[in-house]
Amino acid sequence: MRIEGSRVVVTGASSGLGAALAAEFARKGAVVVLAARRLERLRQVAARITSEFPQAPTPLVVKCDVRVKKDVANLVKSCVDRLGGTDIMVNNAGTAVYGETARVSVEDFQDVFEVNFFGALRCMYEVLPVMKRQGKGLIVNISSVAGLHGIPYLATYSSSKAGLMAVSQSLRAEQAIRKTGVRVMIVCPGYVQTEMFEKEKNVGGGHRPRHPYRPAPKVAAAIVKAIERGKRDLVMTLEGKALAVFKGLLPGLNEMTMRKIARKLRD
Ligand SMILES: NC(=O)c1ccc[n+]([C@@H]2O[C@H](COP(=O)([O-])OP(=O)(O)OC[C@H]3O[C@@H](n4cnc5c(N)ncnc54)[C@H](OP(=O)(O)O)[C@@H]3O)[C@@H](O)[C@H]2O)c1
């Protein structure tokens, strides 16, 4: 897929992976639409893109809380009104609650699902008619390696990302047989160095690993490269690939690995 000249919406573009993805798309000549709740941070990301890549089209900034239907509708409408449509929609906005599953409340699950699952779903439903009218479009859903298997102390996050994967697969098959031209790609990054871990609620019982966390620009570059190559899914890191393979072949091994992680990270 050609990135240059394409119209790309990135939700959660005010920090971390979203900001890095927006910069990478802009570097390759896309018109990027930056969406999130923190307008000032979005403006800073846009200013950085403009100064680093002066040849790139000026980014658009749209304040959008993906939990609010009218914000999402306004985001997609802004793209249609100002750019004539959307070629790529990256559902990247995300949040997490960390800690032992028995200590997490139903409300914690609801809070995480509202952003990671329903937020992405709202964006998909809003952009789908636009892409169908265009006869083409790519929806990129940022799931996680944690969506491939329930990870200890990450129940809210893992289940929301697994749900996002499932709905992506359903939609993908349906769009393919209807030949609408709309494609859906699922991306599962491993640990990325971002501010997500500082902001997340921790209910206790476990702690985050001191893993190597990959820099966001590197992860963003790999994702954009996979989009250019027309990949259907992207599972990142060796651990992620192993988890995906062993899930079907050796589920007992994954279970043992999860227990090992649970023991290692227990407080
Ligand atoms: N970091 C990792 O290790 C890792 C690994 C795998 C997958 N991921 C996924 O990568 C994505 C980006 O996360 P990150 O690590 O870059 O964390 P981050 O720096 O905290 O970025 C999260 C982004 O989501 C936005 N966001 C949160 N709630 C929102 C809402 N209600 N409406 C709109 N935007 C909202 C935030 O912006 P505002 O606060 O300004 O709204 C922010 O821009 C997430 O989907 C995450 O699950 C991360």
Side-chain angles (χ1 to χ4, degrees), residues 29 51 80 102 111 129 151 175 199 239 251:
S51 84
V80 173
D111 288 346
I151 306 291
Q175 296 304 306
K199 293 185 298 199
E239 290 91 341

Side-chain angles (χ1 to χ4, degrees), residues 12 14-15 17 37-38 65-66 92 157 161 190 192 194 199:
S14 57
S15 62
L17 186 56
R37 293 165 303 174
R38 290 170 296 172
D65 183 334
V66 295
N92 166 80
Y157 186 77
K161 294 295 189 179
V192 191
T194 69
K199 293 185 298 199

Side-chain angles (χ1 to χ4, degrees), residues 157-219:
Y157 186 77
S158 274
S159 49
S160 68
K161 294 295 189 179
L164 178 60
M165 258 197 247
V167 73
S168 306
Q169 289 158 346
S170 302
L171 182 66
R172 175 156 69 194
E174 293 156 6
Q175 296 304 306
I177 61 142
R178 284 176 174 74
K179 300 196 180 350
T180 59
V182 181
R183 294 185 297 120
V184 184
M185 178 186 184
I186 304 165
V187 177
C188 298
Y191 282 109
V192 191
Q193 187 57 56
T194 69
E195 58 183 60
M196 189 168 86
F197 312 106
E198 295 152 30
K199 293 185 298 199
E200 72 188 5
K201 176 178 173 186
N202 191 326
V203 297
H207 57 271
R208 286 274 186 187
R210 272 185 293 275
H211 253 269
Y213 288 71
R214 291 182 74 200
K218 276 206 166 153
V219 177

Side-chain angles (χ1 to χ4, degrees), residues 6 23 41 44 101 132 231 246:
S6 59
R41 288 285 292 265
Q44 287 165 8
T101 310
K132 277 165 124 174
K231 283 209 163 199
F246 294 145

Side-chain angles (χ1 to χ4, degrees), residues 242-262:
L243 205 55
V245 170
F246 294 145
K247 196 176 169 180
L249 291 178
L250 295 166
L253 186 66
N254 272 357
E255 194 48 45
M256 267 168 54
T257 309
M258 292 306 139
R259 287 181 193 196
K260 213 169 132 186
I261 293 172

